[in-house]
């Protein structure tokens, strides 16, 4: 039979799991006041003016067999309904539209007030990688623009 | 086979229940409140009530979308949801200065009763209960796993509790609640009585909880239960030399397709296309009470009017069936308000059991510790202290 030592651990060990409730308060605060990384520079592409904002600085995650990285794209000029299809990818060069439209990865979705995208990404970032936006309009004209990958991306993923 | 001693089972019961009892109690309490979160919203917020004094017919979700679009011309409507008949429909949208908003639209009068800009009580409670607000990392949340693991705790405590409680079935025919024989006796009687009368509930919560754990593991390992709604082939999206083409098929057409497809279809969750290769996603409930409110549905091509995919209980795999029957059984929505009330009552029993269990253990521990201290000070024949959970 066990003898119980009347010490702090034995007195409170079954109550200590309650400390996890403090974490809940912390996560609630985090969700009420979210912090996003800095936006990438605003660039013009034809009639559009676009600002990508990464959701976080975490490395790409696997989604349906494809590594992806999430962004919000703000269109401060131009109408998104003028886009027939658009994709965001990260790599050394842009993927051809013919390849992109075979699947559903990397497609821009949302509204005039914000386009979200789970950008197709490599498993790990490096300095050679760029962020590529490919837009096709209703007249089947394609436009491509790129942003240098922020250093924080590949320094945090390595 | 060696017979396990009663003491072993008693210790096992403690091992299952005590180390995480506060989190367990918290999960039970938040789950209990979540069951009636819609009803609490109805009680506390008059704008959430779908009053219909003139007995008007219910408007379709496409009409509700039009109403919100007219009131907020620059809004981009993404989703429409319906709940119980006494609650307003929720039309979710974003606008130029509003990243997320919910219009509470009375489905009978068509009146927009409130624009909610933040978290609703129901969403808050269900998130709190479901994953303790721990952040999601793509497809998993540590909090979700913690909550799901409570099913193992519950099942272990339930089975060991039944073994300890000899002839527990007598609690059905001769329930015993001694209120005049001291706190310890009252706590023990309450704990045992609630446990025996909640057996079905404990089983149900444990099994559905274990299913949620299996589901979490599958999500984490990229195993999709319900396939993603297919995207339209890019070649099917028309091109245009003159401006932006208009989608020939509307939400109203998509709803009509779903209603023709499934008898007794009631739309509960609709998503509008988010890009030109996207579909109308129309989900709802049908005549199977054990399935959730998303068990039936179609995705409709807005350019051709074709059904791109469909969902119904008849076409589900075993795992899909489990995923669509787990929620009604866990939240007690199978029979509407009355089953929710039953689930709420038994949720209180369960929360109470975690508290009474801890109080029983606490009173023994305090007593044992005092005895131990007394004996140490007198250095006289110290008695052995038996503790469960150590």
């Amino acid at each position: 039979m066990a003898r119980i030592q009347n010490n702090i651990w034995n007195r409170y060990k079954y109550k200590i799991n309650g400390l996890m409730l403090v974490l809940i308060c912390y996560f609630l605060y985090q969700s009420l006041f979210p912090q996003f990384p800095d936006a990438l520079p605003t660039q013009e592409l034809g009639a559009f003016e676009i600002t990508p904002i990464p959701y976080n600085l975490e490395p790409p995650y696997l989604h349906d067999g494809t590594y992806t990285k999430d962004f919000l794209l703000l269109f401060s000029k131009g109408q998104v309904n003028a886009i027939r299809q658009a994709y965001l990818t990260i790599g050394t060069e842009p993927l051809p539209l013919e390849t992109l439209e075979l699947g559903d990865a990397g497609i821009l979705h949302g509204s005039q007030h914000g386009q979200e995208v789970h950008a197709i990404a490599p498993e790990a970032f490096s300095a050679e990688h760029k962020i590529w936006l490919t837009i096709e309009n209703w007249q089947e004209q394609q436009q491509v623009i790129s942003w240098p990958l922020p250093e924080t991306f590949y320094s945090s993923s390595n | 086979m060696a017979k396990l001693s009663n003491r072993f089972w008693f210790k096992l019961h403690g091992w299952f229940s005590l180390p995480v009892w506060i989190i367990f109690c918290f999960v039970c309490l938040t789950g209990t409140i979540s069951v009636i979160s819609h009803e609490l919203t109805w009680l506390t917020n008059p704008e959430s009530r779908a009053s219909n004094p003139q007995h008007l017919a219910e408007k379709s979700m496409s009409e509700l979308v039009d109403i919100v679009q007219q009131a907020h011309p620059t809004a981009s409507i993404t989703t429409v949801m319906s709940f119980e008949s006494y609650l307003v429909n929720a039309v979710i949208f974003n606008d130029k200065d509003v990243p997320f908003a919910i219009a509470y639209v009375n489905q009978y009068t068509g009146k927009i009763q409130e624009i909610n800009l933040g978290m609703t009580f129901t969403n808050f409670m269900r998130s709190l209960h479901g994953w303790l607000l721990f952040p999601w990392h793509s497809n998993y949340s540590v909090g979700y796993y913690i909550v799901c693991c409570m099913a193992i705790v519950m099942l272990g405590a339930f089975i060991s509790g039944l073994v300890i409680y000899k002839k527990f079935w007598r609690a059905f025919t001769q329930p015993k609640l001694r209120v005049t024989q001291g706190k310890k006796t009252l706590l023990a009687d309450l704990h045992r009585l609630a446990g025996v009368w909640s057996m079905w509930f404990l089983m149900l919560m444990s099994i559905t909880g274990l299913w949620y754990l299996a589901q979490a593991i599958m999500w984490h390992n990229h195993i999709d239960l319900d396939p993603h709604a297919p995207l339209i082939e890019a070649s099917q999206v028309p091109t245009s030399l003159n401006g932006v083409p208009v989608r020939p098929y509307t939400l109203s057409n998509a709803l009509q397709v779903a209603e023709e497809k499934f008898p007794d279809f009631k739309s509960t969750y609709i998503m509008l296309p988010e890009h030109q290769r996207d579909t109308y996603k129309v989900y709802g409930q049908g005549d199977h009470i054990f399935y959730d409110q998303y068990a039936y549905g179609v995705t409709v091509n807005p350019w051709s009017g074709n059904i791109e995919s469909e969902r119904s209980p008849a076409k589900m795999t075993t795992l899909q069936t489990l995923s669509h029957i787990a929620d009604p059984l866990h939240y007690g929505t199978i029979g509407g308000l009355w089953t929710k009330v039953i689930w709420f009552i038994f949720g209180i029993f369960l929360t109470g059991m975690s508290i009474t269990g801890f109080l029983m253990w606490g009173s023994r521990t305090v007593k044992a510790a005092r005895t131990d201290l007394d004996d140490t000070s007198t250095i006289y024949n110290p008695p052995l202290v038996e503790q469960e959970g150590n």
Side-chain angles (χ1 to χ4, degrees):
Chain A
M1 294 204 186
R3 173 181 294 282
I4 298 302
Q5 296 263 324
N6 185 23
N7 56 31
I8 291 173
W9 169 247
N10 279 332
R11 258 182 284 159
Y12 297 112
K13 64 183 176 185
Y14 294 136
K15 295 174 188 163
I16 284 170
N17 68 97
L19 288 175
M20 202 175 282
L21 302 184
V22 178
L23 277 180
I24 295 172
C25 300
Y26 172 71
F27 292 134
L28 175 64
Y29 177 84
Q30 250 191 352
S31 66
L32 291 175
F33 304 99
Q35 300 240 319
F36 296 102
D38 292 339
L40 304 186
T42 302
Q43 292 197 62
E44 288 201 10
L45 178 66
F48 303 112
E49 192 176 73
I50 307 150
T51 311
I53 305 170
Y55 276 121
N56 55 50
L57 293 174
E58 288 175 20
Y61 65 92
L62 200 57
H63 178 70
D64 287 341
T66 307
Y67 278 97
T68 52
K69 176 91 189 135
D70 297 343
F71 289 85
L72 175 72
L73 271 65
L74 298 177
F75 282 68
S76 44
K77 255 173 68 182
Q79 294 297 309
V80 295
N81 66 2
I83 296 172
R84 183 169 178 266
Q85 52 179 340
Y87 300 85
L88 195 77
T89 62
I90 302 173
T92 50
E93 53 188 40
L95 291 173
L97 189 63
E98 293 73 30
T99 307
L100 290 167
E101 64 185 22
L102 291 174
D104 56 2
I107 195 163
L108 264 64
H109 56 277
S111 70
Q112 181 63 40
H113 314 299
Q115 289 276 304
E116 281 187 285
V117 59
H118 312 294
I120 300 171
E123 190 176 350
F125 293 130
S126 69
E128 296 83 51
H129 292 142
K130 285 184 173 183
I131 300 165
W132 302 91
L133 174 64
T134 305
I135 292 180
E136 186 198 42
N137 65 17
W138 293 102
Q139 289 78 46
E140 295 186 275
Q141 294 162 336
Q142 289 179 38
Q143 294 169 307
V144 180
I145 192 173
S146 69
W147 283 264
L149 202 64
E151 199 181 321
T152 43
F153 275 33
Y154 47 84
S155 60
S156 65
S157 67
N158 292 323
Chain B
M1 189 178 143
K3 196 183 169 203
L4 297 169
S5 69
N6 206 39
R7 189 177 153 226
F8 167 82
W9 285 105
F10 198 63
K11 276 191 171 189
L12 192 65
H13 189 66
W15 280 332
F16 274 118
S17 323
L18 288 167
V20 291
W21 83 275
I22 294 180
I23 289 291
F24 181 77
C25 181
F26 185 78
V27 170
C28 291
L29 181 65
T30 51
T32 304
I33 297 169
S34 293
V35 166
I36 55 158
S37 57
H38 280 145
E39 287 65 33
L40 290 173
T41 305
W42 186 93
L43 275 172
T44 54
N45 183 2
E47 305 304 336
S48 70
R49 297 173 196 165
S51 51
N52 186 18
Q54 293 175 306
H55 304 289
L56 299 168
E58 190 174 339
K59 293 183 191 300
S60 72
M61 284 186 165
S62 59
E63 288 176 275
L64 304 184
V65 166
D66 291 341
I67 288 166
V68 175
Q69 196 69 75
Q70 280 172 16
H72 300 268
T74 56
S76 172
I77 295 164
T78 58
T79 311
V80 189
M81 295 170 79
S82 72
F83 311 99
E84 287 79 359
S85 58
Y86 44 85
L87 281 168
V88 289
N89 282 21
V91 180
I92 299 169
F93 65 93
N94 57 68
D95 210 337
K96 52 190 173 189
D97 50 359
V98 180
F100 181 82
I102 308 168
Y104 288 3
V105 191
N106 186 317
Q107 60 271 34
Y108 308 110
T109 63
K111 187 185 170 197
I112 300 172
Q113 298 182 174
E114 183 182 314
I115 300 291
N116 182 318
L117 297 179
M119 201 182 275
T120 64
F121 175 69
T122 300
N123 282 347
F124 174 74
M125 283 313 302
R126 292 190 176 187
S127 304
L128 194 58
H129 173 65
W131 53 90
L132 308 172
L133 305 182
F134 275 54
W136 283 84
H137 301 277
S138 61
N139 56 0
Y140 79 95
S141 158
V142 173
Y144 193 92
Y145 276 115
I146 292 171
V147 174
C148 291
C149 286
M150 293 300 148
I152 300 170
V153 170
M154 193 187 296
L155 192 63
F158 167 59
I159 293 169
S160 54
L162 277 191
V163 177
I164 295 164
Y165 191 2
K166 306 292 178 206
K167 297 177 182 172
F168 63 84
W169 51 88
R170 283 184 183 165
F172 291 118
T173 53
Q174 301 156 35
K176 195 165 62 176
L177 187 62
R178 292 162 292 180
V179 291
T180 56
Q181 293 184 28
K183 183 180 145 195
K184 202 173 156 185
T185 309
L186 177 63
L187 286 174
D189 282 355
L190 275 172
H191 190 76
R192 289 192 200 119
L193 201 58
V196 173
W197 279 81
S198 304
M199 273 168 56
W200 67 274
F201 191 72
L202 285 159
M203 281 295 287
L204 199 58
M205 292 302 114
S206 302
I207 291 167
T208 50
L210 287 175
W211 164 251
Y212 291 135
L213 179 61
Q215 196 172 249
I217 293 166
M218 283 188 274
W219 285 340
H220 203 155
N221 289 286
H222 311 285
I223 300 167
D224 286 324
L225 293 174
D226 275 318
H228 286 273
L231 252 61
I232 299 164
E233 297 279 333
S235 58
Q236 287 187 38
V237 180
T239 56
S240 167
L241 292 175
N242 307 308
V244 179
V246 177
R247 290 178 187 133
Y249 292 90
T250 63
L251 173 58
S252 179
N253 298 131
L255 280 164
Q256 202 179 342
V257 167
E259 282 159 11
E260 283 168 8
K261 189 83 193 164
F262 306 114
D264 301 325
F265 181 79
K266 162 102 175 60
S267 55
T268 56
Y269 188 87
I270 281 173
M271 287 176 74
L272 281 85
E274 290 189 299
H275 54 82
Q276 308 304 346
R277 289 181 60 202
D278 202 4
T279 52
Y280 292 108
K281 301 177 189 75
V282 180
Y283 298 115
Q285 58 197 31
D287 47 2
H288 280 70
I289 60 162
F290 286 105
Y291 285 83
D292 66 14
Q293 66 271 41
Y294 317 113
Y296 293 82
V298 286
T299 60
V300 177
N301 186 323
W303 302 104
S304 66
N306 292 339
I307 296 176
E308 295 292 327
S309 66
E310 94 179 53
R311 176 196 289 174
S312 70
K315 294 190 174 178
M316 286 178 187
T317 62
T318 307
L319 289 180
Q320 286 168 348
T321 301
L322 287 172
S323 76
H324 285 281
I325 62 171
D327 275 3
L329 292 172
H330 195 78
Y331 281 103
T333 52
I334 44 176
L337 187 59
W338 290 110
T339 47
K340 280 197 215 179
V341 169
I342 294 168
W343 261 243
F344 175 71
I345 292 167
F346 280 90
I348 293 173
F349 286 174
L350 198 50
T351 312
M353 277 171 67
S354 69
I355 296 169
T356 51
F358 182 74
L359 289 175
M360 286 159 71
W361 170 85
S363 61
R364 273 197 205 101
T365 310
V366 170
K367 191 179 168 189
R370 276 189 195 141
T371 312
D372 201 31
L373 273 178
D374 291 348
D375 294 340
T376 309
S377 60
T378 54
I379 320 174
Y380 173 72
N381 192 23
L384 296 172
V385 178
E386 187 178 336
Q387 286 297 319
E388 72 279 18
N390 285 289

